[in-house]
Amino acid sequence: MSTTADTLRQRARTLRQLANSITNTSFMDLGQWVGPDTWMGPSPTACAERVEHFRGAFNAHGDDLRARANKLERQADQAEADEQRRRLNGPI
Amino acid sequence: MGKLAYNPCMVNGMLTRMTSAETGLAAITCSEQEAMGAMICVRSAQRELTWTYIPLATRVANDTSMRGGKSAEFDDDDIRYSLMRTMTGYGWLVADDPLDDDPSTVTPEEARALGAALNSGDVLEDMESTGELVWLQQTLAVVEADPVLRQQFLSNFSDWEEAMNRLGFVQLEASNNGSASDGASRAAAALGSIASLAHIFATGPAMDDYEAVVGTMDSYAGALFAVELPLSDNQLAHIGYDLVKRRYDGETPTIDFDFPGDNTADVVFRELIGRPEAAATFLGIAAHDEPAVIFNGLGHGQLIEELLVAGTSPDVLTEQEAGEVLVPLLQFTHEYGDDMGFMYRYGDGFELNAHLVMSSVVAPWLLNITSRDTQWGWTDDEATDVLNWIVADDDAADRLTELSTAYLQHLSSIAIAHPDGSLNITELNDAAGLIAELGNALRLAHIDDAAAARFWADATLLLAGMAVTALGPGGFALGVLKNVGAAAGSPLIDDLLTSVGVFPPTAEESERKYNQLFADQMTNAAVVAFVAAAAQLTTVDRVEAAVGAHRLADLVERGDAEAVNGCLLDIAQDLGLGDYDETKLIAVVQTFLNPGFAETMND
């Protein structure tokens, strides 16, 4: 396996781990605690809105990170195929 | 001040969840470039909890007990509070809302105006009150989290140098001189503002040229700024070195020069210690450019050792890479280390003992300054000189013997025989060489007898154990050590083992005897290994008889290595073992007395 492919796969793993971390963090369950069952008023409302905003953003970033990870893995496959081809064909 | 209503049964649970969520977010880290946007979002959420909503929830939770379960006063007739009035009928309480003048609401116009105000420099210059600083920090946190607000802010702000230098100075001054509570709040607000500005900076076009921008800042302010940027390990190491080196060169006075607390290097080192790969790169640069930057100009001297240990660990460096970093660092400390305690002063009063620091650093790499020294390009004398220098200090010698004993325990877990029964000569010779070199260095350093005796006792037992392991398939050193102990049950062998130092000398035994044992420790180790190994292959009685017949103890007492060697070979023959076992027993003896011989036998 080529070093380039290894590096790309490692980066993909890192992105996927981060995606899992941010979409599974306990922050994602905070919404049910900061809503109108607990408190109300301008600041509590703003708090609930901000938590909901970040929850949506974390999900979107999670999807984006996974898409980037998939792309890196495709690049790794390509790098490996190129390497294989170079080996078979010998030096140009 | 406005009001809020809350359910007193729920608010503590909410606070607990907020704190837990904040801890969870803080634990998320990633230096991957493509994750920059996600990490900025994570940090924004974390900061809003830390600075805005956890303090608010804490205040509300405390409000319940402070008022004895009663509501704050509010205007029942105010139409804005009609819902709150209704909720109090269900057991809810009303509290003051400290965020009524809500800084979390920032319009694009306000973001643009803030950028312009900060750009003029005067605003920060005149910002004396802590309240203003806290407001700035909260507002910047909101700007940072919103792409539209960031864009508006950046369209009117470009003077990073002035803003960072001023905020860095405020943070430094507040950390060092502020009254206990106010100083901490000011320092935290300044630091939070710097962090938000760095995150805003990272999303703008100037990030492509971050080195030049950081290069315009004072080194301390630049350090606070740089550690908040989403940099790779390599980038962090390089920018960190530039900043620390600038402070060290002292071409221009830096703001941290007159304060005893954190300096540029403290900020950079703390970040590097948490990122060992970056620490390794940093040390590699320093080792070949200016090693002195590692030891100078810190408020907290203990960070030096933490950085060196983190950045030279076998977890982050290969053997070859470690040599490239550690050889020049050891040469430097060997040359200048004894003067460092006088030359360098640290804000916290830490007294640098370069011997002690380097003893921790070399502990995982002991083989490379003893038996494998040629792999790092040392000449034999160089490595020996450095080792002798390290252990010349009693505390360093104690620490190194302690750490090396742990290392030897690690070596003892390595299988010393190949599956075909042949010896793993490399491992055995490495261990034997390490023990001999280190033992010699300790002898030269005249460390106290008890510590040296402990080291030799452990090391000799270990060597014996390793050698015996080599004799039979499936044996492990720890198990074998018990056999050595069993063999010691015989009075004759007990005397013999004591005479070669396997048991620390008692108080009655003189220093003369101990020094004599040091004179040819490897011969003694060979005797112990032989006796233990032979007892494994046959019986203790037979070994005892053969050892007595050949008067081995007398030869050991005389310290005649050649005679001992010959005697052991004779005993091996007399024991009447099969050819295979006899050959292996001889190989064990020769491993200690003549490693080349054993290698030939393996071939």
Side-chain angles (χ1 to χ4, degrees), chain B residues 298-375:
Chain B
L298 285 100
H300 303 89
Q302 190 60 43
L303 292 171
I304 296 169
E305 182 172 336
E306 291 178 34
L307 173 73
L308 284 166
V309 169
T312 59
S313 157
D315 294 339
V316 291
L317 292 178
T318 64
E319 192 173 0
Q320 188 189 342
E321 290 167 342
E324 288 164 10
V325 175
L326 276 178
V327 170
L329 284 182
L330 286 165
Q331 286 168 334
F332 176 80
T333 46
H334 180 207
E335 188 170 355
Y336 300 106
D338 288 332
D339 299 326
M340 287 178 182
F342 308 105
M343 286 163 58
Y344 301 140
R345 291 280 177 270
Y346 304 100
D348 59 356
F350 176 81
E351 289 183 16
L352 179 68
N353 176 344
H355 299 262
L356 198 57
V357 169
M358 296 316 282
S359 69
S360 298
V361 174
V362 300
W365 303 103
L366 269 179
L367 289 178
N368 298 91
I369 53 172
T370 53
S371 46
R372 279 192 215 159
D373 54 7
T374 53
Q375 293 197 11

Side-chain angles (χ1 to χ4, degrees), chain B residues 239-312:
Chain B
I239 196 87
Y241 184 74
D242 288 346
L243 289 161
V244 175
K245 180 77 173 6
R246 270 169 47 201
R247 167 66 159 73
Y248 172 80
D249 288 341
E251 286 165 7
T252 52
T254 52
I255 57 177
D256 60 358
F257 223 82
D258 296 324
F259 292 104
D262 273 2
N263 289 335
T264 305
D266 296 79
V267 177
V268 173
F269 284 14
R270 264 197 212 99
E271 184 71 10
L272 291 172
I273 289 163
R275 291 169 64 175
E277 300 272 1
T281 307
F282 176 93
L283 291 176
I285 302 167
H288 293 279
D289 184 42
E290 183 55 83
V293 302
I294 299 168
F295 301 93
N296 185 30
L298 285 100
H300 303 89
Q302 190 60 43
L303 292 171
I304 296 169
E305 182 172 336
E306 291 178 34
L307 173 73
L308 284 166
V309 169
T312 59

Side-chain angles (χ1 to χ4, degrees), chain A residues 28-68:
Chain A
M28 301 300 267
D29 299 320
L30 198 54
Q32 58 190 300
W33 285 92
V34 297
D37 288 340
T38 304
W39 58 355
M40 58 180 60
S43 295
T45 303
C47 174
E49 284 172 356
R50 294 302 292 164
V51 168
E52 185 53 31
H53 161 79
F54 281 116
R55 215 174 68 84
F58 284 2
N59 277 327
H61 278 299
D63 292 341
D64 178 55
L65 289 167
R66 289 187 186 98
R68 285 170 189 257

Side-chain angles (χ1 to χ4, degrees), chain A residues 11 36 38 40 43 50 68, chain B residues 5 7 32 34 48 92 97:
Chain A
R11 291 179 61 200
T38 304
M40 58 180 60
S43 295
R50 294 302 292 164
R68 285 170 189 257
Chain B
N7 180 342
E32 169 64 45
E34 292 208 47
E48 286 201 29
W92 283 45
D97 183 352

Side-chain angles (χ1 to χ4, degrees), chain A residues 11 14-15 18 21-22 25-27 29-30 32-34 36-44 46-47 50-51 53-54 57-58 61 64-65 68 72, chain B residues 3-7 10-11 13-14 17-18 20-21 25 28 30 32 34-35 37-39 41-42 44-45 48-49 53 56 83 87 92 97 99 145:
Chain A
R11 291 179 61 200
T14 303
L15 294 181
L18 178 62
S21 293
I22 66 175
T25 177
S26 57
F27 185 94
D29 299 320
L30 198 54
Q32 58 190 300
W33 285 92
V34 297
D37 288 340
T38 304
W39 58 355
M40 58 180 60
S43 295
C47 174
R50 294 302 292 164
V51 168
H53 161 79
F54 281 116
F58 284 2
H61 278 299
D64 178 55
L65 289 167
R68 285 170 189 257
L72 287 172
Chain B
K3 306 290 176 193
L4 60 82
Y6 65 97
N7 180 342
M10 295 283 284
V11 78
M14 175 182 72
R17 265 69 177 190
M18 279 183 175
S20 163
L25 293 176
I28 298 174
C30 184
E32 169 64 45
E34 292 208 47
M39 284 309 299
C41 186
V42 168
S44 298
E48 286 201 29
L49 284 177
Y53 294 116
L56 176 63
L83 179 57
M87 294 310 292
W92 283 45
D97 183 352
L99 300 182

Side-chain angles (χ1 to χ4, degrees), chain B residues 124 126-136 170 182 186 189:
Chain B
L124 283 171
D126 298 335
M127 196 170 277
E128 295 296 336
S129 86
T130 302
E132 279 179 288
L133 266 176
V134 171
W135 175 87
L136 176 67
V170 170
D182 186 54
R186 280 178 70 77

Side-chain angles (χ1 to χ4, degrees), chain B residues 22 29 80 90 113 136 153 192 195 291 319 336 356 363 416 422 491 515 538 540 547 568 575 597:
Chain B
E22 181 202 27
T29 59
R80 290 176 299 169
Y90 293 96
L136 176 67
F153 178 86
E319 192 173 0
Y336 300 106
L356 198 57
I416 214 69
S422 61
N515 286 338
T538 168
V540 172
V547 165
L568 292 178
L575 287 173
F597 176 86

